[in-house]
Amino acid sequence: MTLRSSLFALVSALTLTVAAPVIAHEGHQHTDDAAQTEHSGCDAVTVGDLEISGPFTRATLPNAPVGGGFLTIKNTGTEDDRLISATSTIAKDTQIHEMAMEGDVMKMRQLVDGLAIPAGETVTLEPGGNHIMFMGLNGPIKEGEKVSVTLTFEKAGEVTLDLVAAGAAADAPAHDHGSMAH
């Protein structure tokens, strides 16, 4: 597969549908300063002043080189925070990415300085927009599988979440996503 066709497949997979902005679902919330407690059936997990909800990934084809991670982060605090890194063992590299239309061209790039989470605002990582990029997958992501990802925030610290793999064209997580944070 050529680099051009790989990039086309990646952009196609991530933009099957460009979703309208997602509004964070206000649901169950748990506070856990260490962010190490198992949460079952929760809609949100709290780390510092941040509420994280709706984490999911998409199933991939057997030889897909990349995958995406999606979630919503609400900053309930009075100070801005920043998602500075993401890590996962499912890929050689895990990055925070931005996708945006520039004229008629969809452009994707790594956010090397991270992603700002402004005070009092909600930031959504979604297909066709900002997202977590799993590059150099160790194997396919299968529907229903849990993908563990650790997010590091400048102020709130670190939290490890399970992203449940939805279908290859999913725009949102499955309703019953089991445990979310550990």
Side-chain angles (χ1 to χ4, degrees):
M1 186 180 274
T2 67
L3 176 60
R4 184 178 179 141
S5 61
S6 294
L7 289 175
F8 178 75
L10 166 66
V11 170
S12 296
L14 291 173
T15 60
L16 285 173
T17 57
V18 178
V22 176
I23 299 171
H25 174 71
E26 299 293 326
H28 243 38
Q29 299 169 5
H30 294 273
T31 301
D32 181 3
D33 293 333
Q36 296 299 313
T37 302
E38 188 83 16
H39 295 279
S40 296
C42 294
D43 291 331
V45 64
T46 301
V47 57
D49 289 329
L50 305 177
E51 294 175 0
I52 302 169
S53 61
F56 75 102
T57 187
R58 289 174 165 172
T60 62
L61 296 173
N63 294 319
V66 297
F70 315 102
L71 49 88
T72 299
I73 306 165
K74 180 179 180 181
N75 186 342
T76 63
T78 57
E79 293 184 40
D80 293 352
D81 206 334
R82 179 172 295 277
L83 174 59
I84 55 175
S85 71
T87 58
S88 180
T89 60
I90 68 158
K92 292 180 179 105
D93 193 18
T94 303
Q95 301 176 352
I96 303 161
H97 274 214
E98 163 185 74
M99 287 183 76
M101 289 297 291
E102 289 184 17
D104 292 337
V105 179
M106 179 66 73
K107 299 251 181 168
M108 180 172 46
R109 69 180 177 99
Q110 180 182 8
L111 296 174
V112 292
D113 294 327
L115 178 65
I117 315 296
E121 293 190 26
T122 299
V123 175
T124 301
L125 283 70
E126 62 188 340
N130 295 330
H131 59 278
I132 299 165
M133 178 64 85
F134 303 114
M135 301 180 70
L137 289 174
N138 299 326
I141 299 172
K142 298 176 182 159
E143 192 167 345
E145 180 177 85
K146 291 181 183 177
V147 172
S148 180
V149 62
T150 299
L151 305 176
T152 304
F153 296 93
E154 193 171 68
K155 294 182 177 142
E158 196 172 272
V159 63
T160 299
L161 304 170
D162 286 331
L163 283 61
V164 176
D171 288 330
H175 291 291
D176 181 20
H177 54 266
S179 62
M180 187 167 81
H182 49 94

